[in-house]
Amino acid sequence: MASQVSMGATLKCSFGAAPSSLVVLPTNKVFAEGPPAANIMDHIPLVNIMPFGTCNSPSNPTVAAATTAALGVLTPMPCVPATVSPWAPGAPTVTIGNFPALDNTSTCLCTWGGAISFVAPGTVKTMIP
């Protein structure tokens, strides 16, 4: 059974070097075990999704430029998430602010090819059917 995701959930990116935390603004006025509960629209870079240390994706223009300057040696550069689409799939039966609730099985794709997923949902008791 999936767990509700809330503020402070731990994220990982397949091309990132470090974990990150999800930031959920309290605009929907729904809380899960204390912190604000997330929905699939909480995907905005540098607002909801913070950087993952350095990026190793050769599709990232800054990584590509640094790699070219290093004569082809992959050179990681600072991560700036580029998420343009919502988390998917979200919870099919629970809505928060008229959008599906975000559960720990959802993923979000970065424009540079990374897949962002959850390490820890931020809640331990709130399950989504």
Side-chain angles (χ1 to χ4, degrees):
M1 195 167 238
S3 295
Q4 172 65 46
V5 171
S6 66
M7 169 90 158
T10 305
L11 306 172
K12 68 175 180 176
C13 176
S14 58
F15 282 116
S20 182
S21 293
L22 181 70
V23 176
V24 181
L25 303 177
T27 55
N28 293 320
K29 299 178 182 143
V30 176
F31 300 88
E33 298 176 30
N39 69 25
I40 63 166
M41 298 309 288
D42 291 318
H43 70 93
I44 309 302
L46 304 177
V47 173
N48 304 118
I49 300 176
M50 297 298 123
F52 296 92
T54 57
C55 179
N56 296 309
S57 173
S59 299
N60 184 330
T62 59
V63 174
T67 299
T68 301
L71 303 173
V73 177
L74 181 64
T75 306
M77 293 300 289
C79 168
V80 178
T83 52
V84 294
S85 59
W87 293 89
T93 59
V94 179
T95 60
I96 295 174
N98 295 324
F99 290 101
L102 184 58
D103 63 32
N104 64 330
T105 62
S106 300
T107 59
C108 190
L109 300 178
C110 180
T111 301
W112 313 132
I116 301 169
S117 59
F118 292 96
V119 175
T123 62
V124 293
K125 299 176 189 171
T126 309
M127 301 295 181
I128 297 178

